[in-house]
Amino acid sequence: AQSVTQLGSHVSVSEGALVLLRCNYSSSVPPYLFWYVQYPNQGLQLLLKYTSAATLVKGINGFEAEFKKSETSFHLTKPSAHMSDAAEYFCAVSDRGSGNTGKLIFGQGTTLQVKP
Amino acid sequence: DTEVTQTPKHLVMGMTNKKSLKCEQHMGHRAMYWYKQKAKKPPELMFVYSYEKLSINESVPSRFSPECPNSSLLNLHLHALQPEDSALYLCASSQETSASEQFFGPGTRLTVL
C-alpha cells in the first residue's frame, strides 16, 4: 500500500532563508509524486509534480523538489523564503498508468511559517 | 479555462435539512472527485467518478449522495448530516483517473448545526 510521511508538522523560517519541507513515500510501483500548497480557506494548488522525467522538478513560485529513489524521498525546497509562502503544504502520491484509480494519498501536511 | 468552480462558498444547515453542493469544470476532464477536509488535516477522498460513472466510494455514509449529471458537473447531495460532518468539501478533476494531475476547486465550507 502507498503511504506518505511528512517530517515536521510545523516549520518556521526567516524571510530570505532556505525552505526545506521533507516528504518520504512508500510505493510498490514507481509513483507519481506531488506537492500541493493550501492557503487559508482556499483549495489546493499544485506546486509541482514528478512523473518520471527529470528527477529534479521545478515548480511555481520558485519551488523545486528532487526525486531520490534510493532514499524514497521527494523533499521540497526554495532558496529564499518570502512572507507570501506562509501556508500549508501537502505531499501526495498516486499510482501511475492504466491501473491508476485516481486516488491521491496525502501526507499529514506541514505548516510553513515565515518570520520577518 | 483551467478552473474548477464550486458553489456555494459557505453553507450552514441544520441536521434535518437537505442541501446540495455543486462542482463544475470546463476542461473536458472525464474524472471528478469529492474530498472532505477537516481543519489542520489532509483531504480525504470520498468519491471518484470516471466517465460519469461512480468508480470509487470510500465507505462514505449514505447521508452523502453524489451525482454526476454530465461530464462537466458533479453534485453532492446532503441529507440528515451530523455536526461532525462540518468540514471543507473540495472538488477536483483530472483528464482521466490515470492522469497525473488533479485540479482542485476552492471548496465549500459546510457547517452543520
Side-chain angles (χ1 to χ4, degrees), chain B:
Chain B
D1 185 359
T2 59
E3 194 178 10
V4 176
T5 59
Q6 290 187 244
T7 54
K9 190 173 176 62
H10 299 276
L11 178 63
V12 179
M13 61 186 291
M15 290 190 285
T16 59
N17 292 157
K18 286 186 181 181
K19 297 286 184 183
S20 296
L21 309 184
K22 178 180 172 181
C23 172
E24 202 160 5
Q25 57 86 15
H26 296 286
M27 295 179 277
H29 290 173
R30 303 314 300 268
M32 297 186 77
Y33 311 79
W34 280 116
Y35 289 85
K36 174 183 177 180
Q37 187 180 26
K38 302 285 276 186
K40 302 295 184 184
K41 295 291 186 183
E44 298 175 4
L45 183 66
M46 300 174 72
F47 302 103
V48 179
Y49 272 84
S50 178
Y51 287 84
E52 300 157 50
K53 293 189 187 307
L54 183 65
S55 60
I56 294 180
N57 176 342
E58 290 286 283
S59 303
V60 179
S62 60
R63 58 185 183 268
F64 295 91
S65 176
E67 179 195 20
C68 189
N70 59 59
S71 60
S72 300
L73 190 56
L74 185 66
N75 297 320
L76 186 62
H77 303 298
L78 315 172
H79 174 54
L81 294 193
Q82 303 297 310
E84 58 265 30
D85 296 322
S86 298
L88 181 68
Y89 288 84
L90 295 165
C91 175
S93 72
S94 63
Q95 279 191 319
E96 297 187 353
T97 57
S98 59
S100 65
E101 182 174 348
Q102 293 183 20
F103 294 81
F104 283 81
T108 293
R109 175 72 61 189
L110 174 67
T111 303
V112 182
L113 301 177

Side-chain angles (χ1 to χ4, degrees), chain A residues 6-50:
Chain A
Q6 291 184 238
L7 298 174
S9 59
H10 189 100
V11 171
S12 182
V13 300
S14 297
E15 191 174 18
L18 172 71
V19 175
L20 171 61
L21 304 183
R22 299 177 187 274
C23 172
N24 288 89
Y25 71 92
S26 173
S27 177
S28 57
V29 296
Y32 289 140
L33 291 161
F34 309 87
W35 275 100
Y36 284 90
V37 61
Q38 186 175 33
Y39 298 99
N41 298 312
Q42 294 188 26
L44 276 69
Q45 180 183 11
L46 183 68
L47 279 176
L48 50 79
K49 61 183 180 182
Y50 168 74

